[in-house]
Amino acid sequence: MKLQRKNRLRATALGALAVSGALVLTACGSDDNTGGSASGTGEKTTAASNVDCGKAEGQLRASGSSAQKNAMDLWVKNYMAACSGVEINYNSSSSGEGIVAFNQGTVGFAGSDSALKPEEVAESKKMCKSGQGINLPMVGGPVAVGYHLEGVDKLVLDAPTLAKIFDTKIKKWNDPAIAKLNEGVDLPDKAIQAFHRSEDSGTTQNLGKYLGAAAPSEWKYEAEKKWPAPGGQAASGSSGIAAQVKQVDGAIGYFELSYAKSQGISTVDINTGGSAPVQATSENASKAIAAAKIKGTGKDLALELDYTTKADGAYPLVLVTYEVVCDTGNKPETLDTVKSFLSYTASDDGQKILTDAGYAPIPAEINAKVRETIGSLS
């Protein structure tokens, strides 16, 4: 009997791993049936040793931000390997779609690259009943500006030039504004093909916040999830933009660093006005995110980022992905699993895997408040 029980437990654990692998390969939604999984980078995906499964059970559905997809793939794989009998299904679509699903009550939590707007908080009260939606910062990282330009291995741009490129005001790679930032580089007389997200996206909104703050004279658009500028070419999800940039000579686009790392895409160094241009790395993004301040009230931990930093080595084009939950009034059938899973993602083990996957851990002082808030969810 003991041998049979061991075999059953082993089969359950293997089944959990198989389901996790299937989720990575078949996650539905606009973002990523085309790849871009962090598992393709060769990073470690071993099960975390300190996962507290608690009373977690059954299936937990979640959806939203494609920015955190590669982190979520790792977290789901590790968590399900540790907690047999629990299935986490994260649909990597977009921040906008995730918030809609959360406010409709079809998911246990949502991922969003921008904090809830007042009208979204008001809408959440219908679903949360006794409470409202709150923002828990969970994943940080650089928004990489990836490019594909044959013969050019290193490229420096600044915020005004980026604004003009994405606003289709600069149309050729050998434009004088680009040449001035890249002295000695043989820039080709080739048309720029700028790609942006086709659906509402928190990554788009963060790019807009950066351009609006760092290049206000050149970028006149409001920072919204919907792409605001005319021209350019659209692609679905961060993975869709990354795929286009990888394939098209002359292309430029924006996506999380993990997509650039997994697909070998060159990224732009940003001239911030500091002592030297800054590379898009997890470490450099962490320097910028470390200066963030909590602007939310109560249990809401929405952050205020400084997109105009000139601190040496601080990469200014960053985003923070939030997990959106109810402070009170979470669904009883998924509450224990939500608390257990998010406790793991916010744990030391959960945060440690972010850097190697191209993300930046949430600063320790802020993350301590995230853990405390997760423990208080009801």
Side-chain angles (χ1 to χ4, degrees):
M1 290 298 289
K2 288 184 179 179
L3 179 60
Q4 289 177 339
R5 185 171 183 272
K6 286 183 179 179
N7 287 337
R8 285 199 302 271
L9 290 173
R10 182 173 181 272
T12 302
L14 290 173
L17 283 169
V19 172
S20 174
L23 288 172
V24 171
L25 292 172
T26 63
C28 55
S30 62
D31 189 46
D32 220 14
N33 302 323
T34 61
S37 168
S39 59
T41 67
E43 308 301 344
K44 294 180 180 179
T45 59
T46 54
S49 59
N50 298 317
V51 175
D52 181 2
C53 302
K55 298 179 181 178
E57 62 180 0
Q59 184 185 73
L60 172 62
R61 295 177 59 83
S63 69
S65 164
S66 66
Q68 67 173 356
K69 177 188 184 300
N70 293 338
M72 192 61 71
D73 285 350
L74 291 171
W75 283 333
V76 167
K77 180 176 290 187
N78 290 353
Y79 182 84
M80 288 174 57
C83 301
S84 61
V86 182
E87 181 182 336
I88 309 295
N89 187 341
Y90 183 79
N91 176 13
S92 171
S93 50
S94 70
S95 298
E97 292 175 58
I99 291 173
V100 169
F102 176 77
N103 281 339
Q104 289 177 341
T106 60
V107 295
F109 71 89
S112 177
D113 306 327
S114 56
L116 293 167
K117 295 180 179 179
E119 58 269 27
E120 291 170 336
V121 173
E123 185 69 18
S124 73
K125 293 179 180 179
K126 301 176 185 176
M127 196 278 292
C128 295
K129 306 298 184 186
S130 60
Q132 66 180 44
I134 57 172
N135 305 281
L136 302 178
M138 197 66 70
V139 183
V143 178
V145 179
Y147 72 96
H148 180 175
L149 197 56
E150 296 295 337
V152 178
D153 299 324
K154 188 173 180 61
L155 186 69
V156 176
L157 297 173
D158 59 13
T161 307
L162 279 169
K164 291 177 182 177
I165 287 172
F166 282 112
D167 201 16
T168 62
K169 298 289 174 53
I170 291 179
K171 302 180 184 297
K172 290 290 189 72
W173 279 110
N174 62 349
D175 186 276
I178 300 177
K180 184 177 180 180
L181 292 164
N182 295 273
E183 294 183 6
V185 177
D186 186 15
L187 297 167
D189 182 17
K190 183 182 290 293
I192 295 173
Q193 299 194 53
F195 286 88
H196 59 264
R197 291 281 287 271
S198 58
E199 76 283 15
D200 286 3
S201 160
T203 312
T204 292
Q205 188 171 38
N206 279 276
L207 175 65
K209 288 178 180 178
Y210 164 70
L211 294 176
S217 298
E218 290 78 15
W219 192 257
K220 301 293 188 179
Y221 307 101
E222 292 294 324
E224 299 291 347
K225 292 174 184 171
K226 184 176 180 62
W227 181 255
Q233 301 182 58
S236 177
S238 292
S239 62
I241 294 182
Q244 290 296 326
V245 171
K246 186 174 179 64
Q247 295 169 10
V248 179
D249 187 18
I252 188 170
Y254 58 94
F255 35 77
E256 295 66 45
L257 181 61
S258 59
Y259 291 93
K261 290 183 68 173
S262 65
Q263 299 195 40
I265 297 171
S266 298
T267 60
V268 169
D269 293 352
I270 294 183
N271 184 339
T272 64
S275 61
V278 186
Q279 289 183 309
T281 68
S282 297
E283 293 77 13
N284 291 343
S286 292
K287 293 177 183 178
I289 295 172
K293 295 178 173 57
I294 295 174
K295 65 178 182 180
T297 58
K299 293 184 179 181
D300 183 69
L301 299 178
L303 302 180
E304 182 175 355
L305 299 169
D306 180 8
Y307 295 100
T308 62
T309 180
K310 292 181 174 60
D312 287 346
Y315 184 82
L317 180 45
V318 294
L319 62 73
V320 169
T321 296
Y322 301 94
E323 311 310 341
V324 177
V325 295
C326 300
D327 53 1
T328 62
N330 289 279
K331 297 179 183 178
E333 63 270 25
T334 57
L335 175 60
D336 289 334
T337 307
V338 167
K339 292 176 71 171
S340 172
F341 179 66
L342 294 185
S343 292
Y344 162 59
T345 65
S347 70
D348 288 340
D349 284 347
Q351 291 289 299
K352 279 177 183 176
I353 68 174
L354 293 179
T355 300
D356 287 343
Y359 296 97
I362 298 300
E365 183 178 349
I366 296 172
N367 195 44
K369 295 180 180 179
V370 172
R371 296 181 194 180
E372 180 182 352
T373 302
I374 292 170
S376 72
L377 298 179
S378 61

